[in-house]
Amino acid sequence: MAMHLTEEKALRLWRDVSLAMVRDDDPDLSARQMAILLSVYLDPPPHTVRGLAAKLGVTKPVITRALNAMGRHKLLARRRDPDDRRNVLIQRTLEGALYLDRLANMIRQAAENEGKAP
Amino acid sequence: MAMHLTEEKALRLWRDVSLAMVRDDDPDLSARQMAILLSVYLDPPPHTVRGLAAKLGVTKPVITRALNAMGRHKLLARRRDPDDRRNVLIQRTLEGALYLDRLANMIRQAAENEGKAP
DNA sequence: GCTGTTCATTACGCTTCCGTTTCATTCAAG
DNA sequence: CTTGAATGAAACGGAAGCGTAATGAACAGC
């Protein structure tokens, strides 16, 4: 079942979620951090710095810094690949899963609201 | 007609659009900038610095700086309120409308894709 | 007219992020 | 072994964001 969105509803959805993210106290994730976090949680592993850099179209230090920042908040974890110790495997955490649960609920709630007549 | 989204579809929608925003060459807007831009375009005018600060729950300098940044890209424009010249009225621009058109299309396209079976 | 209030902006010190460049470690090929 | 390639991280200077506090301009009340 495909979802159909008018332009206005699409933008209202985005605005509602953006507003909710700004309003709550959690530090806002940048667009890049959000893309990394969601890719790690939604795409099948393994996830490496190089692979994420290629997927996002950015340089590797961007990924390293984003992992540092999100690692401080425990949204993601790093682990050396035992088979090739040059690689770093990016892994999910409980805190990251809970964060995305809250994000998903914000999106779903906004989608429900936009469905109603304004 | 309310939209119903599973948690997974909601997050995939957000990931697809975040990835598209990161990948394209336009400078990424922060969550705050995005919330301001969408509020100005979706909510009825007039829009003032103070009003936007209250709506987002941030301080006024945050709004001023965001307006400077988005003004450089011509996504928004400032104009003195002729009736009360202390006020600054934030106004839409052609470039901003085009930017949001593209954003809306990214959201709609992602929503269509998530509707399909993975 | 003054005085005090209300706007928005600027100034300040601090933190974070950026891209480029270098570095350290690990693997692979000979 | 030794050499070369590949991976991720660190170093660097510069740009942009933050919150608090001060500044400038415009209004309102007396």
Side-chain angles (χ1 to χ4, degrees):
Chain A
M1 179 194 69
M3 286 174 285
H4 291 286
L5 282 169
T6 65
E7 168 160 336
E8 167 126 4
K9 282 182 183 178
L11 293 179
R12 284 191 183 280
L13 170 66
W14 211 257
R15 183 203 55 174
D16 292 347
V17 179
S18 297
L19 261 176
M21 292 197 308
V22 170
R23 281 179 157 293
D24 73 17
D25 296 336
D26 307 334
D28 296 347
L29 264 49
S30 71
R32 291 167 170 203
Q33 291 171 340
M34 184 67 75
I36 292 169
L37 186 64
L38 285 167
S39 291
V40 169
Y41 277 79
L42 292 174
D43 293 344
H47 301 283
T48 64
V49 172
R50 180 169 189 76
L52 289 170
K55 176 177 295 192
L56 301 212
V58 299
T59 59
K60 288 191 292 181
V62 168
I63 306 295
T64 294
R65 280 189 297 258
L67 294 181
N68 290 342
M70 289 191 285
R72 280 193 287 273
H73 297 295
K74 301 195 187 306
L75 298 177
L76 287 174
R78 269 190 273 220
R79 200 183 125 237
R80 279 281 161 193
D81 182 350
D83 293 345
D84 182 345
R85 294 218 296 277
R86 290 173 300 183
N87 286 335
V88 161
L89 303 178
I90 295 99
Q91 302 187 300
R92 306 166 190 179
T93 63
L94 176 59
E95 288 89 345
L98 294 173
Y99 178 90
L100 290 185
D101 274 354
R102 293 199 297 277
L103 174 64
N105 282 332
M106 286 197 288
I107 299 168
R108 294 169 66 185
Q109 183 173 334
E112 296 292 333
N113 287 341
E114 299 320 329
K116 298 172 186 167
Chain B
M1 179 193 67
M3 286 174 285
H4 291 286
L5 282 170
T6 65
E7 169 161 334
E8 166 124 4
K9 281 183 183 177
L11 293 179
R12 284 192 182 280
L13 171 66
W14 210 258
R15 185 204 53 172
D16 292 347
V17 179
S18 296
L19 260 176
M21 291 198 308
V22 170
R23 280 180 157 293
D24 74 17
D25 296 336
D26 306 335
D28 297 346
L29 265 48
S30 71
R32 291 169 170 200
Q33 291 171 340
M34 184 66 77
I36 292 168
L37 185 64
L38 285 167
S39 291
V40 169
Y41 276 79
L42 292 174
D43 294 343
H47 301 283
T48 63
V49 171
R50 179 170 191 75
L52 289 170
K55 174 176 297 191
L56 302 212
V58 298
T59 59
K60 288 191 291 181
V62 168
I63 306 296
T64 294
R65 281 188 294 258
L67 294 181
N68 290 342
M70 290 192 284
R72 278 193 288 272
H73 297 294
K74 301 197 187 303
L75 298 177
L76 287 174
R78 269 189 275 220
R79 200 181 125 236
R80 279 280 162 197
D81 181 350
D83 293 345
D84 182 345
R85 293 220 297 276
R86 291 172 301 180
N87 288 335
V88 161
L89 303 178
I90 294 99
Q91 302 187 300
R92 307 167 192 179
T93 65
L94 177 60
E95 289 88 345
L98 294 174
Y99 178 91
L100 290 185
D101 274 354
R102 293 198 299 274
L103 174 64
N105 282 331
M106 286 196 289
I107 298 168
R108 294 169 67 186
Q109 183 172 333
E112 296 292 333
N113 287 340
E114 299 321 328
K116 298 172 187 167

